[in-house]
Amino acid sequence: MQSDPDEKEFCVMNWFTRLFRRPVADWNFDSEQGDSEPEGTISVPRAARTVSDKMPSFSDSASSIEHRRRPNDERDRSRALRQAFRPSQPVQKLKLFSGRTQLLRRVIRAIQDQHMHVVVYGDRGIGKTSLLHVVRELAGNANYVVSYTSCGEDSDFYETMRTILGRIPRLFDANIDPTAGEVERGGSLADLLPQGNLTVAQISDVMANIEGTRVLILLDEFDRTRSEKFRNSIAELIKNLSDRSIKVQMLIAGVASNLTDLIAHVPSIRRNIIGIPVPNMTEDEVRQMLQRGFSAGKLSIDKTAMDPLVEASGGLPYLAALLGQHAAMACADAGQAVVSKEHVQASVGLAAEDIGNRLSPFSRHVVERQGEISSDSPLAILARCAVSHGGIISDPDALKLIPHLDESAAALLAMVQDDPLESRYFVEDGVSAYIWLRTAALTY
């Protein structure tokens, strides 16, 4: 039975009435009566139904992101700058990686020449994940089989190992003919594991038969794992891999001030691992990073602007990328080709606002209550120490300033556990950077 057209029209009209709480007949979409409208009507002028030239808009089509032209106009310059400076994302490719040459060399030597398991550690935003991605690319180029896993609070050791072994082709099993059906069908070493619960010994036995390659397992964000069982199982596996000279190595990354914090409860494997701290970038490395980013957008930077930009970064890759992005975009938005000191000043204020907006209301309120924070104030000095030394304040002269803080500012700090120096750190991530940038905004 077909519906009456009038009935359909009534249903549609009734739906509009319920949705907008006003009869459709009262909606006036094409009024030509100027500013005055009959009482009780809602007018949508034609001008409001088109995008104003003055309104901001997305400059990229999402479907064209992977098909970019060579930079030859302002839109492509903005794209290039956004690709070059990614403060919210780790570097994924070697071609976008800057500096850290000595650190990379040390990690590669530990893996390749010493055949050790490596733990890299440091504060948030220091570049650990970027380092792991670059090592993954370099090891892959050297024909390692590389498996990257980001740990979480609920990471399960056995599921993680099944996934990792599932990425290693059966071709590398010494006990199988390379022409066997399992290899031709694309099987993996995970096929050799029994169903159900596993033991570290069973996983070690499967890995012991790897031949024709070396395997590098990258475990990122290891500090996020709260499971003692997971940590202990990883430690036991490292011991088995080392004792049996199995061709599998681990590169573990996590937030910590030292190796003891990260692998505190596994003293038996200390001789099997090398701990490598990830330090702040040097000034030359920051300059290289910034210069590469500006060049990608066909920008240059004035000599008087580079030094304050490098200093404001504090050697943190995250801050350098954030400041570089804001300075470059300010320059491009002004239609200029040279990043000036004025663009740097603007970038410091914008970066401080970005970080401040992520803080808890308490932390931001406490910092803002301090008013203008001069570079020689106790809070600024403590923040600078934290930014420059992996988040930890251990300098005796800086620690002497803590009693000079007011009660609320002192509450931003906590003591490092079991530290004989009674070092301190800012409880909330980002507070030290926020204070430092507020100080820098006054200086520049």
Side-chain angles (χ1 to χ4, degrees), residues 344-360:
V344 173
Q345 290 171 337
S347 74
V348 172
L350 290 168
E353 184 178 350
D354 284 349
I355 295 174
N357 287 336
R358 301 189 193 113
L359 299 180
S360 67

Side-chain angles (χ1 to χ4, degrees), residues 11 25 53 156 158 160 175 230 267 269-270 312 329 369 414 417:
C11 291
D53 291 339
D156 180 83
Y158 304 111
T160 300
N175 294 329
F230 182 91
I269 66 166
R270 290 181 184 276
M329 296 306 294
R369 267 188 54 191
Q417 240 181 356

Side-chain angles (χ1 to χ4, degrees), residues 63-81:
S63 61
S64 69
I65 289 175
E66 300 301 326
H67 305 283
R68 295 189 172 95
R69 306 182 306 280
R70 293 181 62 187
N72 56 12
D73 57 25
E74 291 305 315
R75 178 179 297 179
D76 290 323
R77 172 183 288 180
S78 296
R79 289 173 179 167
L81 290 172

Side-chain angles (χ1 to χ4, degrees), residues 364-403:
R364 181 159 186 172
H365 172 70
V366 170
V367 175
E368 291 178 351
R369 267 188 54 191
Q370 310 300 313
E372 293 186 351
I373 305 174
S374 62
S375 59
D376 59 353
S377 68
L379 193 59
I381 293 172
L382 291 164
R384 177 62 176 176
C385 284
V387 167
S388 303
H389 298 92
I392 302 300
I393 306 164
S394 55
D395 181 83
D397 291 333
L399 292 173
K400 290 177 183 177
L401 299 174
I402 293 177

Side-chain angles (χ1 to χ4, degrees), residues 169-188 191-192:
R170 188 76 184 272
L171 173 67
F172 298 113
D173 179 8
N175 294 329
I176 194 168
D177 187 331
T179 62
E182 295 93 329
V183 174
E184 294 180 355
R185 288 192 295 271
S188 70
D191 301 335
L192 303 177

Side-chain angles (χ1 to χ4, degrees), residues 74 77-78 81 85 294 297-302 305 309 323-347 350:
E74 291 305 315
R77 172 183 288 180
S78 296
L81 290 172
F85 295 113
F294 294 140
K298 294 189 174 181
L299 298 176
S300 59
I301 180 168
D302 188 90
L309 190 56
L323 291 164
Q325 183 186 70
H326 279 308
M329 296 306 294
C331 179
D333 289 346
Q336 298 173 2
V338 180
V339 177
S340 68
K341 197 169 183 179
E342 288 70 27
H343 300 139
V344 173
Q345 290 171 337
S347 74
L350 290 168

Side-chain angles (χ1 to χ4, degrees), residues 32-48:
E32 299 290 344
Q33 302 176 31
D35 295 333
S36 61
E37 297 294 337
E39 186 176 351
T41 66
I42 299 177
S43 176
V44 183
R46 285 191 178 88

